Structure formats: structure tokens, C-alpha cells
């Protein structure tokens, strides 16, 4: 087989001659034999060849009838039938145009198209004219291959959304700062009381920008290392104690009591200590901020089994505050997602805390789970695998 698009000129003109004969050189009876394409002499071979491809592939004869297609292709065009005209079955106009152009020019055509049903999906398709020549005679076919661009598009959309959100989050405190600077330079220039008050607000806004940048940098650092599993041994009980001690001041401010439950035996995971501290701090801080009304926060470290029966360490942070309505739960770990934006800002939140927690746990081969009953508090649990799995061994750390 040779792709006409990459053929030397001599072959390309032969291919074109074959293609042109399709419209002009043949009699009606020759053209109209029903099912002829289905019994294309090489149909079986072609089908075997494309059957093993993971991406959708469809092969047409020179009358643009379907000779063969693989299972993946039925995901794009469920109505495909061997021997039937592809231009009717494949209803995407961009693809139909590309098939016509490839037939006319003998050159590879690339198109992108979008499918709404059953789900939004983007594809790129290559329509490649190919001449099959086994010495006994040449026949020209069109080979269509498809790539699913949906994951790439989704990443691109997320990137654009992320930049828009981050800029918006930074612009708000920046606008406040600029406003106060103007006021201090103008009307409040000689008003010491106003100056004191405004400087306090400005400090708060600047701190918010610093927190945001700090969280953004942490997120990107964790993402950069996402494919490097952490290797240090981390004993979890002292880590939990350190986080709880570090947040005692905030707990006292909010009049919340932190209770800790840790097992007698050590629980050691492979991890990045700083990242795990950061993740747990976020969860405990949230419990103290959003669940303060419940007056108690419990941090429980335990050993448990995953759904697959593998040993894992769990750190559950439970508060007894207002809880979270179920419709928010699946989106809480998205960047900048908040249940109540004003409340989050008032608490000094950036909307990045739980995204950070999720990324830290992903990097550790674990996950975060969230349970909540509105009115009865929320429990955020960090799940960390207790097996190393490095180099094929699945020894447990101790
Ligand atoms: P933020 O910086 O806003 O705290 P997070 O990503 O840490 O961002 O949390 C996202 C949102 O999840 C918060 O704005 C809040 O609405 C909600 N949330 C997080 N933890 C709790 C909790 N313990 N109780 C109630 N709501 C919570």
C-alpha cells in the first residue's frame, strides 16, 4: 500500500487517472452492481488490518462506499454498513467535503469536526487516498483515520478558565489597593485616622494577593512533580500532631476545640512531608473556618482497607458545622470553586485549598473523600496507600 499523498508524481498521476475513471470511464452497469463494495477483493485483508487499530478507521472504495471499518469507528458513525455509500452514513459536512476533496486531488486531507450527540466530542480526521497494487491490478481506496481531540480541548478550556479565574481573583484586591492609594494621596491625605484604617484594609488585601500567589505556586509545583511519586518515609501520627498544634491559635480564635485520635502503632507512608502537612492544614483550617459553629473538630488517624482490599492510612477531619449541600460535593476540589464566594473571601480563602489537597493526594497515589449531611457537619478524609509498590515489591512500610 502507498499513500497517494506521499507518492512520487508518477504514481500520483496514475492514482488520479484511476480516480477520474470512476466518474467518466465506466458504464452504468459496471458502476451499479449492488454490494460490490462489500465484496471488494481485499475487504477481508483490509478489515483485519484496521481491526487491530485502537482509533476509529473506515475504508471506502473509489465510489466512496464502505469497504471496511473497525469497532472504534462505530462510536463515531453507528449507522455504518458495508457496501453502503459513506457520504450518506457520515453526515458530518466537514468530513463529506474532505472525502470529496481527497477523491478529487488524490492528496491527504485533514479536517476537524465536532459532535454534539451523545456527548460533546471533537475529532480530527485524515482522509488518505491509497492505491493497492498486488501486481494483478491496482485499486484505489480512501482510508479514513480519526483522533479524538476531546481531552486536549478540555485541557485547553480548563487552561483558559483557570487564567481567567486567577486574573479575576488577583484583580479584585488589586483594584481595592489602587482605590485606597488614590484616596490616601487625595481626600484622606491629611486625615491620620482614615489613613490608619485604610492601611489596615490595604494590608489585608495585599495579604490576600500573597496567599493567592502562594497557593498558585504550590499547586503548580505539585503538578510539576505529579509524575514523581514521593519516596521519603513519613510517620503520620507526629505529622497530625504538628498540624493540630500549629492551628491552636486559629482554633482558640474561633472557639473550637481540636480533638485528636491516633493509633498506638506507627502508620508510615511514602510521602512528601511538607506536602502532606500542607494538605492536612488546609482541611483542618477549613473545618475551623467553615465549621466553627460546631465547636469541635476531630482529627482521626486510622488504618483501613481500600475498596480493593489494600491497606491504607486514613486521616479524617470532621467538623460539626453547617455541612455542605450534596450538589456541591463533586465540584469542591475544582480550582476556585466555592459554595459561597463571599463567605470564603471573608474567611481569607482563595478557593484553591481543596484543589491543592486533591493534587497532593493524587501524587501520593491516594485520594480525598468528602462526606457531609447539611446541618450536621462535614468529614474530609485523606486516603494514603500503605504499600510501597516500588520496583514491583509490595512491602508494607513500618
Ligand atoms: P477556600 O480557600 O475558599 O477555603 P477550599 O478549596 O479550601 O477554598 O474550599 C472550597 C469551598 O468548600 C469553601 O469555599 C467552602 O465553601 C467549602 N468548604 C470547605 N470545607 C468546608 C467545611 N468543612 N464545611 C463547609 N464548607 C466547606
Amino acid at each position: 500500500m502507498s499513500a497517494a499523498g506521499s507518492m512520487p508524481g508518477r504514481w500520483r498521476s496514475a492514482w488520479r487517472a484511476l480516480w477520474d475513471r470512476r466518474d467518466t470511464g465506466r458504464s452504468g452497469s459496471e458502476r451499479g452492481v449492488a454490494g460490490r463494495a462489500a465484496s471488494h477483493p481485499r475487504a477481508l485483508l483490509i478489515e483485519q488490518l484496521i481491526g487491530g487499530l485502537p482509533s476509529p478507521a473506515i475504508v471506502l472504495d473509489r465510489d466512496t462506499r464502505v469497504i471496511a471499518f473497525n469497532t472504534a469507528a462505530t462510536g463515531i458513525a453507528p449507522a455504518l454498513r458495508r457496501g453502503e455509500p459513506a457520504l450518506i452514513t457520515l453526515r458530518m459536512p466537514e468530513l463529506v467535503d474532505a472525502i470529496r476533496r481527497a477523491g478529487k486531488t488524490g492528496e491527504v486531507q485533514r479536517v476537524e469536526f465536532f459532535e454534539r450527540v451523545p456527548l460533546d466530542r471533537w475529532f480530527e480526521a485524515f482522509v488518505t487516498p491509497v492505491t493497492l497494487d498486488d501486481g494483478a491490478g491496482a485499486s484505489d481506496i480512501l482510508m479514513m483515520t480519526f483522533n479524538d481531540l476531546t481531552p486536549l480541548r478540555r485541557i485547553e478550556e480548563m487552561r483558559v478558565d483557570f487564567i481567567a479565574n486567577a486574573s479575576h481573583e488577583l484583580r479584585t484586591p488589586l483594584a481595592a489597593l489602587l482605590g485606597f492609594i488614590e484616596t490616601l494621596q487625595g481626600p484622606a491625605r491629611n486625615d491620620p485616622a482614615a489613613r490608619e484604617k485604610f492601611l489596615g484594609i490595604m494590608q489585608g488585601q495585599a495579604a490576600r494577593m500573597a496567599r493567592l500567589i502562594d497557593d498558585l505556586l504550590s499547586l503548580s509545583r505539585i503538578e510539576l512533580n505529579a509524575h514523581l511519586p514521593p519516596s521519603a518515609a513519613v510517620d503520620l501520627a507526629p505529622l497530625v500532631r504538628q498540624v493540630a498544634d500549629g492551628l491552636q491559635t486559629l482554633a482558640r480564635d474561633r472557639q473550637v476545640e481540636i480533638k485528636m485520635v491516633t493509633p498506638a502503632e506507627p502508620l508510615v507512608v511514602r510521602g512528601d512531608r511538607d506536602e502532606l502537612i500542607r494538605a492536612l492544614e488546609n482541611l483542618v483550617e477549613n473545618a475551623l473556618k467553615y465549621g466553627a459553629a460546631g465547636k469541635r473538630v476531630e482529627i482521626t488517624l486510622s488504618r483501613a482497607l481500600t475498596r480493593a482490599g489494600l491497606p491504607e492510612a486514613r486521616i479524617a477531619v470532621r467538623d460539626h458545622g453547617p455541612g455542605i449541600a450534596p450538589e456541591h460535593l463533586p465540584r469542591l476540589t475544582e480550582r476556585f470553586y466555592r459554595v459561597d464566594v463571599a463567605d470564603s473571601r471573608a474567611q481569607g480563602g482563595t478557593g484553591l485549598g481543596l484543589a491543592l489537597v486533591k493534587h497532593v493526594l493524587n501524587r501520593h497515589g491516594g485520594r480525598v473523600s468528602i462526606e457531609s449531611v447539611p446541618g450536621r457537619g462535614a468529614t474530609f478524609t485523606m486516603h494514603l496507600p500503605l504499600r510501597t509498590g516500588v520496583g514491583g515489591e509490595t512491602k508494607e512500610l513500618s
Side-chain angles (χ1 to χ4, degrees):
M1 273 210 260
S2 61
S6 56
M7 274 191 246
R10 183 164 60 93
W11 287 106
R12 186 179 306 204
S13 37
W15 197 93
R16 285 197 62 165
L18 274 169
W19 184 269
D20 290 342
R21 267 218 317 273
R22 176 190 65 122
D23 294 326
T24 53
R26 288 180 298 127
S27 69
S29 62
E30 219 184 323
R31 194 185 310 207
V33 185
R36 188 179 134 146
S39 57
H40 186 280
R42 294 169 184 99
L44 196 62
L45 195 67
I46 295 172
E47 191 138 291
Q48 285 168 347
L49 198 65
I50 62 173
L53 294 178
S55 309
I58 306 171
V59 176
L60 311 181
D61 70 4
R62 60 190 181 191
D63 289 326
T64 66
R65 280 183 226 241
V66 178
I67 299 175
F69 55 90
N70 61 6
T71 317
T74 55
I76 294 182
L80 276 175
R81 298 279 175 279
R82 284 175 196 83
E84 293 200 352
L87 300 189
I88 296 174
T89 320
L90 301 170
R91 278 170 308 187
M92 307 68 140
E94 304 87 343
L95 197 55
V96 168
D97 276 354
I99 294 171
R100 290 212 172 99
R101 276 200 314 275
K104 249 197 194 119
T105 60
E107 282 170 10
V108 182
Q109 304 293 319
R110 178 190 175 277
V111 276
E112 284 187 20
F113 61 92
F114 174 64
E115 284 269 271
R116 272 211 177 282
V117 183
L119 293 167
D120 284 3
R121 287 193 304 172
W122 287 265
F123 287 98
E124 78 176 334
F126 290 93
V127 187
T128 312
V130 175
T131 298
L132 300 177
D133 191 350
D134 57 8
S139 67
D140 39 300
I141 58 170
L142 288 178
M143 169 124 156
M144 292 195 283
T145 46
F146 300 81
N147 292 320
D148 190 351
L149 300 181
T150 316
L152 286 177
R153 287 287 170 106
R154 295 246 184 282
I155 290 172
E156 180 60 18
E157 276 174 9
M158 274 170 60
R159 198 181 63 84
V160 171
D161 278 359
F162 175 67
I163 291 173
N165 279 328
S167 315
H168 176 77
E169 292 292 330
L170 279 171
R171 199 186 302 137
T172 314
L174 191 62
L177 276 180
L178 289 172
F180 284 118
I181 290 171
E182 257 175 44
T183 314
L184 286 174
Q185 284 172 333
R189 182 191 289 270
N190 299 314
D191 182 343
R195 189 169 58 222
E196 273 316 295
K197 186 174 154 211
F198 293 160
L199 281 174
I201 300 173
M202 288 166 75
Q203 191 172 30
Q205 296 296 330
R208 181 170 150 201
M209 289 172 75
R211 261 196 315 274
L212 188 67
I213 288 168
D214 197 34
D215 279 357
L216 284 171
L217 286 176
S218 299
L219 252 181
S220 81
R221 225 182 352 256
I222 295 163
E223 277 188 303
L224 262 183
N225 291 331
H227 304 294
L228 294 172
S231 55
V234 180
D235 190 356
L236 292 177
L239 183 140
V240 169
R241 239 169 271 128
Q242 181 182 335
V243 170
D245 290 349
L247 288 170
Q248 279 307 332
T249 316
L250 180 65
R252 265 195 299 276
D253 271 4
R254 305 286 159 123
Q255 297 173 336
V256 178
E257 185 196 351
I258 301 181
K259 226 180 115 193
M260 236 181 342
V261 180
T262 52
E265 28 133 25
L267 276 182
V268 183
V269 295
R270 284 237 180 264
D272 180 312
R273 203 182 144 74
D274 290 344
E275 282 185 11
L276 291 175
I277 288 181
R278 187 83 198 255
L280 184 59
E281 262 174 7
N282 265 310
L283 295 184
V284 180
E285 254 180 54
N286 279 353
L288 293 173
K289 288 188 315 194
Y290 302 110
K295 302 283 172 210
R296 276 180 300 132
V297 166
E298 286 115 31
I299 312 174
T300 310
L301 171 65
S302 63
R303 176 195 177 76
L305 293 179
T306 64
R307 292 180 203 127
L310 298 171
E312 69 173 4
R314 288 187 187 164
I315 310 176
V317 179
R318 173 159 193 219
D319 69 67
H320 302 267
I324 304 157
E327 65 269 24
H328 296 295
L329 296 183
R331 300 199 56 193
L332 277 189
T333 56
E334 285 176 24
R335 290 157 199 222
F336 298 114
Y337 188 86
R338 288 112 147 187
V339 176
D340 179 336
V341 176
D343 183 27
S344 155
R345 292 216 175 116
Q347 305 276 10
T350 60
L352 292 173
L354 291 176
L356 218 118
V357 173
K358 182 178 85 174
H359 282 278
V360 167
L361 286 160
N362 282 350
R363 184 176 171 227
H364 284 73
R367 66 188 177 95
V368 59
S369 65
I370 311 170
E371 285 163 57
S372 180
V373 177
R376 294 176 56 189
T379 306
F380 288 74
T381 307
M382 293 168 57
H383 302 251
L384 289 156
L386 273 171
R387 283 171 179 251
T388 60
V390 180
E393 41 145 356
T394 50
K395 181 166 70 79
E396 201 168 314
L397 289 166
S398 59

